[in-house]
Amino acid sequence: MGRRQHNPLYNPLHYATPQLATGPPVTRAAAQRGLASYDYVIVGAGAAGCVLASKLSEDENVSVLLLEAGGDNTKVLETKVPLLFPKLFHSRHDWDYYTVEQPGLASRKLYWPRGRIIGGSSSMNAMIYHRCSKSDFDEWVSANGCVGWSYDDLAPYFRSIERFTPNPACPAIGIENRGSSGKWEIGYSSLSEIVEKGFLSACQDAKIPVVADINTPKGTLGSTKFQTFIDPKGQRSSLATAFLSSDVLQRQNLYVACYARVTRVLFDRLTTAEPTAIGVEFQIQRGGKHFQVHARQEVILCGGAVNTPQTLLLSGIGPADTLKNHGIPVIQVNDAVGQNLKDHLCTTPILAKAKPGTTLDYLNNNHKAIFALARWMLTGGGPLASNIGEAAAFIRSTDYSFPQSVRTPNDHSSGGVGPDLELIGAPIAFIHHGEEKVIDGNSAFSLVPIALRPQSHGTVTLQSRDIFDAPIVDPKYLSDRGDNDRNVLLVGIRVCLQIMRSPAFKEFFEPVPVNDDPTSYWWPFSSSNIENITDEQLIRFMDEKAFTLYHPVGSARMGQSPSTSVVDPDCRVYGVKGLRVMDASVFPEQISGHPTAPIAAMAAKLSDMIKASHAAASLVSANL
């Protein structure tokens, strides 16, 4: 086989050699007689899929096929320029999902962007590198029985995949917890003056200490400048650019196919005691022909918290009633498939009118934006190297009380020590996912409270048997008993207003009349009535404006019990053989931060687990 040219954008099956489906193969032996047979078939080239494909194909003796529903990432400028990621929303590189109407949020349908491109959401998110709280992963073990997934278990993988580059303009941090030889470029990128001298100083005024490095076992609490996966050249370092680089794609044992929509996993139900995954079936277009590819070892689903449960259900794994209602033959009943969905909900930003030139809103002017793009292309620097979410404060809602509030949250943090609120500071008016501009072309600073440990949980289920019909996503926001999620967000809004009133911010803000108050800096609240704002007023604001922070997890959760979980601690799907899951859907519980780094580390760890399990099986087979 000669060296292949990586061009899946124009030839969706360039790397794969599928065969036309004439009916499902009934046995593994029959499947392996087909031309299209690989050791591992990975479904989804998102964060986890990129890492797994790269790590598993390091062994020249195995073949790996990676199937992606979207297209190539290498020629898409918006995936490279950090500040331009919102331009990918609603594009052909976005699944462009919407939830069903949410009764807790004024019956609104919420937009959920998800990456449909090589690299998945790591090719279109805000590039925040966050290992989250040590207590998050330790809770997975203590409360959910997920042995092997504690922070100490994952720490070597966080380090091994990371290439951390110190920034002389940032405080020095200890290198004992950092990696220097991995493929993923991590460091400190652009930081606006209003964030550094305004927001971080205001957090200190609000008694939230500044922490130089939140990516250590010491935890996340405090305010910090985010580390990002932006490389020293100012470009996004996605899990695709890191793990599916040109040299990796030239491996003779790695095959990549774009625009392949997997319709179901194929199973051998005749020659094994349990149904055994032997490959997948997929289509290129709605109503088009079905193709099959076969797996000699395993099929690994890496579609994410929305697509993975959809694939499981279409494959006959899920609640019996759901499968029956859609006429899908039952392979394995599992009531947990598509359940336990949790997401990070945030309110619309609290906005402050900033002085011209102190935020990035001036880039809405095309003339100024062209000069910024030219600067980025020449130097990799300037405002376009910002990831928008430049800094944040992580706090515990139970540490705060406000006399004007009659609601108090309960502690649902991990281990009783982790944060349950994140307050992101952004030097731009990030309203409705960046789609809405601030009024009258003004500049604004955004401060966004996020509930990190939601108790509300929802579902992902099928709209139909057609893979081209989006699944039904119902996160059931703010539906938890006791209304604790709402109470946590109320604290978050009030702390944001407290931060915005700090003297450290005054030099950056300009008064704007709100409710006939000429001294007000804030939208939608005036400075004179902040002390008198009621819970009901804030709840109305929240219900009408809250949106997702893009972190759905848990819909194929990991756990010890097949009655409440989809996969075991080895990420094997309960009740079948040869099928694993690795993406945010396996999270047993929502983490208190940003999930890209944990997913990458988990995928790297799983690759070692898969290699070890097959090495052991080969040894046993050789000794028989």
Side-chain angles (χ1 to χ4, degrees), residues 380-518:
L384 293 187
S386 169
N387 74 316
I388 297 181
E390 295 182 357
F394 292 88
I395 62 176
R396 291 169 52 80
S397 63
T398 52
D399 290 342
Y400 295 83
S401 62
F402 298 91
Q404 62 270 50
S405 178
V406 297
R407 290 169 169 258
T408 57
N410 297 316
D411 186 1
H412 289 287
S413 62
S414 59
V417 296
D420 64 349
L421 269 171
E422 178 182 1
L423 316 175
I424 288 186
I428 198 169
F430 196 73
I431 312 171
H432 293 163
H433 314 281
E435 297 170 13
E436 182 179 329
K437 307 307 177 188
V438 75
I439 191 169
D440 295 329
N442 286 298
S443 297
F445 183 86
S446 302
L447 192 48
V448 187
I450 304 115
L452 295 176
R453 296 281 296 177
Q455 299 306 295
S456 303
H457 53 87
T459 60
V460 176
T461 191
L462 297 178
Q463 181 181 165
S464 78
R465 291 185 63 174
D466 190 335
I467 189 60
F468 289 88
D469 287 339
I472 298 171
V473 179
D474 184 5
K476 294 182 170 59
Y477 289 124
L478 304 179
S479 65
D480 60 308
R481 183 178 301 176
D483 221 14
N484 198 72
D485 292 351
R486 199 185 301 271
N487 295 344
V488 169
L489 279 170
L490 284 173
V491 171
I493 295 173
R494 293 192 185 278
V495 176
C496 284
L497 292 172
Q498 183 180 3
I499 292 172
M500 285 292 205
R501 299 177 71 189
S502 164
F505 258 145
K506 283 189 176 180
E507 65 175 287
F508 296 98
F509 293 161
E510 286 188 346
V512 57
V514 176
N515 298 333
D516 298 322
D517 176 8

Side-chain angles (χ1 to χ4, degrees), residues 139-149 334 336 340 556-575 586-589:
E139 178 188 66
W140 289 7
V141 178
S142 62
N144 297 281
C146 298
V147 177
W149 296 99
N334 188 315
N340 305 298
R557 71 190 301 269
M558 181 197 307
Q560 261 190 336
S561 171
S563 64
T564 58
S565 307
V566 178
V567 301
D568 67 17
D570 289 327
C571 298
R572 294 187 175 101
V573 175
Y574 279 114
V586 306
F587 285 18
E589 181 54 82

